[in-house]
Amino acid sequence: MKEPIFGADRFQLLETFVRIVEAGSLSAAATQLGATQPTVSRRLQALERAFGVRLIQRSTHAMGLTEEGQRCYERALELLKSWQTLEGDVHGASRQPAGTLRVVAPHAFGQDQFIEPLADYLSRYPDMRVEWLLHDRLPDFIGENIDCAIRVGHVPDPSLVAIKLGEVPRLVACAPALLQGRAVPEHPSELTDLPWVALRTFYREDIELIHRQTGERVRVEIAPRLSTDGLYAIAKAMRLGLGAGAASSWALVQDLAAGKLVHLVPEWMAEPLPVHLIYAPSRLQPVRLRRFIDIMKEYLPAELQASQAAAASTAVF
């Protein structure tokens, strides 16, 4: 079927052009769009014929925007985003997304805390499929065709769009046997004599604790016997008595309630970790992504508030 030159599908041509620029090649753009490379090439040629200028300089080994192409890319982004806003205003909540959403989530949260809102999303939108990719590194949104990522901790790239969903409180705890009959430490200075395990993503050789009431901060130097980037691994190492550690309260609260762990310095806490939903600044927001963001904004604050309440209640242990 012959591709349109520049009629009713002009937005398709612009979106294809934007995807080519962001993906870095015609073949990558074709993969992301679910089209063939010749189709993507024809759409680009149609757009160039419509404007009467070359937008992309192509060679065997490289591809780059012309001056006109750069202006077209910037304006195309504005137009497509405006169109998406108009679509959202007109269709409202009745618009049902379809297709595939690709999300990167951190290992521990992605296996536990985030599954409920994910299930809610798939329940609300039966025509959607989700690729739920679990790793803690920041993805290449364009190159890997990632719609969004959920990140616990700071966002290292200020150019990314970051929507703060809430904060994760963190507790300091250890196995009862590690105290060897001593009283539960009340002040951070009493923690230096204990062996430690470290969640190296957030602390390695020292950890800063904050008093819940006064906001006083005390830095504790530690020499970890074990360091890992896995939350579940650190929690199990703590249960086995390898050392004291700090971890997300939701991951420890059941062990604290069961007496498998003891809450150390209960009037103090480690710095809460922010939770953000992030995506590339130039990445267009299709309906599938906007609906996912809406659900995450609904769910996570309530979940994190519950986690904070649970953290406060552990002070009795």
Side-chain angles (χ1 to χ4, degrees), residues 172 179 182-194 196 207-212 214-221 244 263-269:
V172 180
L179 295 177
R182 291 183 295 169
V184 175
E186 298 290 336
H187 191 273
S189 61
E190 301 174 62
L191 299 176
T192 55
D193 293 336
L194 293 174
W196 273 76
I207 184 169
E208 186 175 66
L209 301 179
I210 308 167
H211 194 275
R212 295 176 185 274
T214 67
E216 178 189 357
R217 292 172 177 261
V218 174
R219 187 169 294 279
V220 179
E221 293 187 359
H263 188 180
L264 306 178
V265 291
E267 294 301 316
W268 299 75
M269 62 180 182

Side-chain angles (χ1 to χ4, degrees), residues 2 15 50 59 77 93 169 183 185 206 243 271 312:
K2 186 177 180 181
E15 185 174 14
S59 68
L77 279 178
D206 57 50
E271 187 85 48

Side-chain angles (χ1 to χ4, degrees), residues 264-287:
L264 306 178
V265 291
E267 294 301 316
W268 299 75
M269 62 180 182
E271 187 85 48
L273 298 174
V275 181
H276 291 93
L277 188 147
I278 56 180
Y279 56 91
S282 60
R283 172 55 62 99
L284 300 172
Q285 279 192 34
V287 174

Side-chain angles (χ1 to χ4, degrees), residues 9-31:
D9 290 331
R10 65 185 64 186
F11 278 98
Q12 182 188 60
L13 300 184
L14 288 174
E15 185 174 14
T16 298
F17 172 64
V18 167
R19 193 62 65 92
I20 292 169
V21 174
E22 294 185 342
S25 71
L26 298 181
S27 58
T31 299

